[in-house]
Amino acid sequence: MSGSSFGKAFQITTFGESHGPAIGVVIQGCPPGLPIDQDLIQKSLDKRKPGDGPASTKRKEPDTPLILSGTFEGKTTGTPIMIMIKNRDAKSSSYEDIASVFRPGHGDYTYHQKFGVRDYRGGGRASARETAARVAAGAVAQLVLDPYQIKIESYTVGLGGIRANIFDAKIIEKNPFRCPDMEAALKMEKKIETIKNQGDSLGGVVEIKAINVPAGIGDPVFDKLDADIAKAMMSIGAVKAVEIGAGIGAAEMTGFENNDQLTQDGFASNHSGGILAGISNGDDIIVRVHVKPIPSILKPQKTLTDTGQPTTISTKGRHDICAIPRINKVCESMLALVLTDHILRQKTNR
Amino acid sequence: MSGSSFGKAFQITTFGESHGPAIGVVIQGCPPGLPIDQDLIQKSLDKRKPGDGPASTKRKEPDTPLILSGTFEGKTTGTPIMIMIKNRDAKSSSYEDIASVFRPGHGDYTYHQKFGVRDYRGGGRASARETAARVAAGAVAQLVLDPYQIKIESYTVGLGGIRANIFDAKIIEKNPFRCPDMEAALKMEKKIETIKNQGDSLGGVVEIKAINVPAGIGDPVFDKLDADIAKAMMSIGAVKAVEIGAGIGAAEMTGFENNDQLTQDGFASNHSGGILAGISNGDDIIVRVHVKPIPSILKPQKTLTDTGQPTTISTKGRHDICAIPRINKVCESMLALVLTDHILRQKTNR
Amino acid sequence: MSGSSFGKAFQITTFGESHGPAIGVVIQGCPPGLPIDQDLIQKSLDKRKPGDGPASTKRKEPDTPLILSGTFEGKTTGTPIMIMIKNRDAKSSSYEDIASVFRPGHGDYTYHQKFGVRDYRGGGRASARETAARVAAGAVAQLVLDPYQIKIESYTVGLGGIRANIFDAKIIEKNPFRCPDMEAALKMEKKIETIKNQGDSLGGVVEIKAINVPAGIGDPVFDKLDADIAKAMMSIGAVKAVEIGAGIGAAEMTGFENNDQLTQDGFASNHSGGILAGISNGDDIIVRVHVKPIPSILKPQKTLTDTGQPTTISTKGRHDICAIPRINKVCESMLALVLTDHILRQKTNR
Amino acid sequence: MSGSSFGKAFQITTFGESHGPAIGVVIQGCPPGLPIDQDLIQKSLDKRKPGDGPASTKRKEPDTPLILSGTFEGKTTGTPIMIMIKNRDAKSSSYEDIASVFRPGHGDYTYHQKFGVRDYRGGGRASARETAARVAAGAVAQLVLDPYQIKIESYTVGLGGIRANIFDAKIIEKNPFRCPDMEAALKMEKKIETIKNQGDSLGGVVEIKAINVPAGIGDPVFDKLDADIAKAMMSIGAVKAVEIGAGIGAAEMTGFENNDQLTQDGFASNHSGGILAGISNGDDIIVRVHVKPIPSILKPQKTLTDTGQPTTISTKGRHDICAIPRINKVCESMLALVLTDHILRQKTNR
């Protein structure tokens, strides 16, 4: 079944395993005539690359995107765009000890249950490495959004239990966590150091925002804009919760408090997160995702072998301590993909 | 575009408006030979009917499901099953005053932006009435789940800010909110009375659980089980947040705390909510949805007419004060639909 | 699986069995604001109704289409349009003798093999009656084609081995076979009488033409316009061959003879049938379908019971002698559906 | 839109242009545990390679298939399989003179109309080169068919107006046209030489047969087995007509002649081509496709430039004189893809 495809009018299909020869994506439905080059994709990929920050893996991938189809003389042609990224820095040997052991918190056990066989090297298909293909596709999607002036950004509003209390846009690029609250960012850094020394890991909360999204996109009653966003976000490996607008807060307000009243200057508030009845209302799209801690930790954990024998495991591979801030770019890309899909879909209504 | 269809192997397509002649659903991919009758569908529909509880609308619909295709001599035949529910108690006249006014918190404005025209009567296609079709389909889906002994239930863990602090299964059926904590249920009742008198409304939190789901279902990397569940839940009108397992709590734990260690007696905990890397692990599936307050309130609100003139609105139709407990059955049905779809999909892997 | 759905941007889903309570269709993706009413659908259905001609069944169905969703104040709203036709004149009793016998040339045996159970009454889901739902949907599709001045018509170019040798448009409506050659039509009539008296049946050839189709529609490399037309036509029960443009004749020409040279007055010929590389070229779309004889015949045939016992069968139900001319309208409708789908799809490229 | 994807349970997505860096395919839904290697794919690709026969192009491509994902230790893993074939022998310069001229019989004009831009080199996306990706996918599909002993073969029953009058299976591999009638094959050879000297080209007719297909596959009423086969075949560039079983001949028989009567030894004939009501009946699947002559010819033809100026064109690139026998393997592959898809789909009914 087509579980590795996403979108209807703008549809991506990703392929590849963490330690196979390559990963990549085929994009269908991209309109013709858009300016595209390797640099554009590269810039997006760089934002998801392991940084020098304290939370990042030491695995280094140049992640050079090769555009192998669908373009001609620097423009999209309307035919499928295939972008491939070769896997280079693959130390499969460091994963051999997990060939027959299920790592807690990972897909090892469930892939084994589903398929009977699995590529255990680095998580195989379940590796976060697959998200590089999504980011490459997101960069192409953004080309469709550009004429609308749609901009998507994300920032970290929680990490290891520490919450951002203020929003200062200028601060986001000035700390390795993309946190809009410098005081919180400093606490996050400290927390990560402590947890790292304990051989443990952390999770966090990312907010993603899209501005200038035209009113009228989204396709009820199932392909609602918020429903597709929820799926897009929850399909990212570590995400365990998705909120739209006021989200969990909405459940504790009264109708009068939560409703966004309409005025001639626009909506008086934005608890809806820019989406009403599954259709954009022209206001900012606001999404929040809650990310679980990286499951690969040094701390020994109880587990089973694939023959059912109890054992303990201590994961020594090169791993991030926290999926943030690398996951932020992935979230932005998934939002770009959903918005692009629905903007194209809306054209069939006119 | 096919935004009113959901699922791939077991696919439903709903149709109908709140005050049109009928609503209903076409189900494709239901295996042949399953015992089906009107009573079975009726029982499910009854659980979503406006009750006599303090939170419910006074609109009464017999909601008799007519099975008009896909069955023969009391069994499914493998061909599309169409189930229709006629709309009877439709007082369109009570909606005429909103024909040209956008109700805050509703889809009026966004449907207008998307389609240019809209059936304003009772919310038209955006009405919660559409969910009756989902419930009918969910009852059919459950027939596929029965041989696996899969059972799905839901209960209310929050309403108007009041949280259930204990889980006593026996209590669920004994209060109008399906709350597993009687003390909390009593507070909820009181709160609803107060809010009702203020012409306002409330939201809440519902937890949905599925037991005996076999390990191995879900179709990464996009049609992950949790991703499809997130979409399913977020496609229900009032839902603003979806959590899987530990959900937002996972983001505040360390990896060691959050990981579910494997033992010969099963997983030592269930923070994953029964899903790892988008595939079921055999443990209980746990989902939580956060429901916004009913937007239709008596309290006057600022809004605009469809020509952009400011006005105020006070919604006098017959409405629930809170989507809970009626939404609970809808959530159960959506979970049944996702599980059925993925159980059938997994058959193609063997 | 979703085998009863057709189209992507303009998608129909049909349901219903020959002798169940009703048949019908749900249409998704129909743009809003189009004028629609029951008469429009009725007129199309009337063209597929058993006529008074010599080739037609005596089963009479009023075939009144009920539009139960997706419209408001006489216009489409952009939401799913459900059209239902009740089955009235269903004499199930006349089919009881075939409950356990497989009729040659019918789907009895294959439905039994596929599903294990089947609704044997009048062919159940495999009945040509299902095509009424397609015709209803085709009438809605035509609303999308109208602004382009796209007109679709069909005529009979062969029946029982008798071929039309001339094309005189005026003649088409003047004979019961929609044959553009009156001399041929008269021979067809005679042939039908003879065959009818022998308790046998006939097949034929229908040509379908669409004019004013804009250049540029079709979605290579699989959803080519001709590929989707071939599927659409072959999905009609009795069709055994589909030709586009010169069709089988193209295989016997040289490249120079077959190529349609381009001139400033347009293409110098139309062997392509208006489709090059799967995309419309602005010329007339020309399709020919070859229809097998009606399999239900009075003449005794050898067959098996569902327990594998040999027996003979002589079908006494009310049946057409030839699917022509009733199938002609179905072919037109399927072409309308394909064109509409691709016209809407092409909007996403701009 | 997803026009470059085919299949639902076993789904392929092809990408690539004739003179871009690479072409290839992503296969979704392939069951895990199947033995797969490069040789297997290579052997299929070799059958579609330009041969040394008189009808073939002189362009030589090694066509080495690289399997870049979805396999581990020589077996499929259930995840997407990406197979890529690099383009090496691409002489783009030989196509520069057609950059602004529409070649008759090609997609140049229609791609231009559809997308506004086009990769003119060697036909770009519309090149027959894309079919190599289908053949690679077909080789993987065959792995699913092997346990059923399903075998697919094709042979040429017409070329340039010369028809095979006898069927001698031994002869097929003994002539460059895969014709089962040696006398006809010799005439075909002569005809090709003559036509080649005239700077012209030829078409032909291919019959494709699948044996051991289990009864019960196909998904009415739209995804009928024959409907999907018709689409699959018509999606191959040069195909202008598709017949199933008796095909066009069925239209000239009576019902009694055409019906395949059932006996305890099986069906008494196979006019149905192994498909009744869109579902396989266990008999051989028989398909015939009619292939137009290669449009690229040396003989000068009238055409237009992309600014509408009249000109003449004489195509000097390296081209086949006839798509047969290379297209035969493509037809076999498409049939393998359809059968595999429906065999997997049928599993969801049990």
Side-chain angles (χ1 to χ4, degrees), chain B residues 176-253:
Chain B
F177 311 108
R178 301 188 58 76
C179 179
D181 173 348
M182 188 53 93
E183 202 182 312
L186 293 171
K187 286 185 195 163
M188 289 170 183
E189 187 156 9
K190 210 169 243 175
K191 180 96 187 224
I192 280 192
E193 279 308 317
T194 311
I195 289 292
K196 191 178 185 174
N197 291 336
Q198 295 170 2
D200 211 337
S201 65
L202 292 172
V205 187
V206 179
E207 190 160 292
I208 311 106
K209 182 158 70 175
I211 61 169
N212 296 327
V213 177
I217 73 166
D219 199 356
V221 294
F222 294 112
D223 295 352
K224 287 175 169 170
L225 189 59
D226 40 357
D228 274 352
I229 291 171
K231 174 168 177 166
M233 297 300 164
M234 199 70 93
S235 77
I236 303 170
V239 174
K240 295 300 286 182
V242 182
E243 300 179 76
I244 306 289
I248 60 172
E252 306 209 344
M253 290 190 237

Side-chain angles (χ1 to χ4, degrees), chain D residues 44-56:
Chain D
S44 279
L45 287 175
D46 288 350
K47 290 185 180 160
R48 150 194 192 282
K49 267 201 344 202
D52 298 319
S56 298

Side-chain angles (χ1 to χ4, degrees), chain B residues 1 9 29-32 78 80 219-220 344-345 347-350, chain D residues 1 9 29-32 78 80 219-220 344-345 347-350:
Chain B
M1 300 286 287
C30 184
D219 199 356
L344 294 182
R345 288 170 74 159
K347 293 188 182 214
T348 64
N349 275 317
R350 298 290 165 175
Chain D
M1 299 286 286
C30 184
D219 198 358
L344 295 182
R345 287 169 75 159
K347 293 189 182 214
T348 65
N349 274 317
R350 298 288 163 177

Side-chain angles (χ1 to χ4, degrees), chain D residues 32-262:
Chain D
L34 300 174
I36 188 175
D37 62 26
Q38 193 176 313
D39 272 6
L40 182 97
I41 316 290
Q42 185 74 67
K43 266 179 208 148
S44 279
L45 287 175
D46 288 350
K47 290 185 180 160
R48 150 194 192 282
K49 267 201 344 202
D52 298 319
S56 298
T57 170
K58 296 300 166 223
R59 174 176 175 180
K60 296 300 172 207
E61 291 275 2
D63 274 1
T64 308
L66 303 170
I67 307 173
L68 297 180
S69 72
T71 71
F72 184 58
E73 297 179 344
K75 284 187 177 165
T76 60
T77 59
T79 60
I81 300 167
M82 197 282 250
I83 304 174
M84 190 174 83
I85 303 166
K86 289 184 188 167
N87 290 325
R88 296 203 192 161
D89 186 15
K91 291 199 191 168
S92 300
S93 58
S94 57
Y95 292 100
E96 298 241 319
D97 51 342
I98 56 155
S100 56
V101 175
F102 301 129
R103 292 169 301 164
H106 276 285
D108 300 350
Y109 176 74
T110 53
Y111 268 73
H112 182 82
Q113 289 291 321
K114 182 176 188 67
F115 296 118
V117 295
R118 72 186 165 94
D119 178 350
Y120 55 80
R121 300 165 304 163
R125 180 74 180 141
S127 168
R129 180 144 182 75
E130 180 267 339
T131 60
R134 303 181 183 206
V135 171
V140 178
Q142 183 62 45
L143 294 174
V144 179
L145 304 180
D146 281 341
Y148 297 85
Q149 317 275 5
I150 295 172
K151 286 189 203 325
I152 298 171
E153 64 165 358
S154 68
Y155 36 88
T156 301
V157 297
L159 198 159
I162 297 154
R163 303 207 170 194
N165 294 311
I166 60 166
F167 180 86
D168 183 346
K170 296 185 308 292
I171 298 298
I172 296 172
E173 301 290 341
K174 293 194 178 149
N175 66 79
F177 310 108
R178 300 188 57 79
C179 179
D181 173 348
M182 187 55 90
E183 203 182 311
L186 292 172
K187 285 186 196 163
M188 289 171 182
E189 187 156 9
K190 212 169 241 175
K191 179 97 186 224
I192 280 192
E193 278 309 315
T194 311
I195 290 293
K196 191 178 185 174
N197 290 336
Q198 296 171 1
D200 211 338
S201 65
L202 293 172
V205 187
V206 180
E207 190 160 294
I208 310 105
K209 182 159 71 174
I211 61 169
N212 295 326
V213 177
I217 72 166
D219 198 358
V221 295
F222 294 111
D223 296 351
K224 287 175 169 171
L225 190 58
D226 40 358
D228 275 352
I229 290 171
K231 173 168 178 167
M233 296 301 163
M234 200 68 94
S235 78
I236 303 171
V239 174
K240 294 302 286 182
V242 182
E243 301 180 76
I244 305 290
I248 61 172
E252 307 208 342
M253 290 190 238
T254 70
F256 187 79
E257 289 162 356
N258 182 62
N259 281 346
D260 303 315
Q261 300 188 36
L262 289 85

Side-chain angles (χ1 to χ4, degrees), chain C:
Chain C
M1 300 286 287
S2 51
S4 284
S5 294
F6 186 78
K8 289 185 178 172
F10 188 94
Q11 184 178 72
I12 69 166
T13 301
T14 72
F15 61 84
E17 280 78 33
S18 176
H19 288 60
I23 61 162
V25 64
V26 179
I27 303 166
Q28 291 185 73
C30 184
L34 301 174
I36 188 175
D37 64 24
Q38 193 177 311
D39 272 5
L40 181 96
I41 315 290
Q42 186 73 66
K43 267 180 208 150
S44 278
L45 286 174
D46 288 350
K47 289 185 181 161
R48 159 202 180 275
K49 265 197 352 196
D52 297 321
S56 297
T57 171
K58 297 299 165 224
R59 175 176 175 179
K60 297 299 173 208
E61 292 275 2
D63 275 358
T64 309
L66 304 170
I67 306 173
L68 298 180
S69 71
T71 71
F72 183 59
E73 296 178 345
K75 285 189 178 163
T76 60
T77 59
T79 62
I81 299 166
M82 199 282 252
I83 304 172
M84 191 173 82
I85 304 165
K86 288 185 189 167
N87 291 324
R88 297 206 189 157
D89 186 13
K91 290 199 188 166
S92 300
S93 57
S94 58
Y95 292 98
E96 296 241 321
D97 50 344
I98 56 153
S100 56
V101 174
F102 301 128
R103 293 169 301 164
H106 276 286
D108 300 350
Y109 175 73
T110 54
Y111 267 74
H112 181 81
Q113 289 291 323
K114 182 176 188 67
F115 296 119
V117 297
R118 73 189 165 93
D119 178 349
Y120 56 80
R121 300 166 303 165
R125 180 73 179 140
S127 168
R129 180 146 181 74
E130 180 267 339
T131 60
R134 303 181 183 207
V135 171
V140 179
Q142 184 62 44
L143 293 174
V144 179
L145 302 180
D146 281 343
Y148 297 85
Q149 315 275 7
I150 295 172
K151 287 191 201 325
I152 297 172
E153 66 165 356
S154 68
Y155 37 87
T156 301
V157 296
L159 197 157
I162 297 155
R163 303 204 169 195
N165 294 310
I166 59 167
F167 180 86
D168 182 349
K170 299 185 305 293
I171 298 298
I172 296 172
E173 302 289 341
K174 293 193 179 149
N175 65 80
F177 311 108
R178 299 189 57 77
C179 180
D181 172 347
M182 187 54 91
E183 202 182 312
L186 293 171
K187 285 187 196 163
M188 289 171 183
E189 186 155 12
K190 212 170 243 176
K191 179 96 185 223
I192 280 192
E193 278 309 315
T194 311
I195 288 292
K196 191 178 186 174
N197 291 335
Q198 295 170 1
D200 212 339
S201 65
L202 293 171
V205 187
V206 179
E207 191 161 291
I208 311 103
K209 183 159 69 175
I211 61 169
N212 296 328
V213 177
I217 73 166
D219 198 357
V221 294
F222 294 112
D223 294 353
K224 287 174 169 172
L225 189 59
D226 40 358
D228 275 352
I229 290 171
K231 174 168 178 166
M233 297 300 164
M234 199 69 93
S235 78
I236 303 171
V239 174
K240 295 301 286 183
V242 181
E243 300 179 76
I244 305 289
I248 61 172
E252 307 208 342
M253 290 190 236
T254 69
F256 187 80
E257 289 162 355
N258 182 62
N259 281 347
D260 302 316
Q261 301 187 35
L262 288 85
T263 76
Q264 284 184 317
D265 300 324
F267 289 95
S269 53
N270 186 13
H271 296 127
S272 74
I275 304 172
L276 278 168
I279 302 170
S280 63
N281 68 4
D283 223 329
D284 293 351
I285 305 285
I286 308 285
V287 185
R288 241 169 349 271
V289 303
H290 297 258
V291 181
K292 75 174 188 181
I294 296 281
S296 296
I297 55 175
L298 202 55
K299 225 171 184 171
Q301 301 170 87
K302 276 184 257 180
T303 191
L304 298 176
T305 67
D306 60 10
T307 58
Q309 297 310 305
T311 183
T312 61
I313 188 166
S314 165
T315 308
K316 297 184 198 76
R318 300 153 300 168
H319 296 281
D320 295 334
I321 299 302
C322 181
I324 292 167
R326 296 180 65 197
I327 203 171
N328 298 29
K329 183 63 195 171
V330 182
C331 294
E332 292 175 16
S333 300
M334 290 310 299
L335 185 54
L337 290 167
V338 173
L339 295 178
T340 300
D341 187 38
H342 280 286
I343 278 179
L344 295 183
R345 286 169 76 159
Q346 174 63 358
K347 295 190 182 212
T348 64
N349 275 316
R350 299 288 164 175

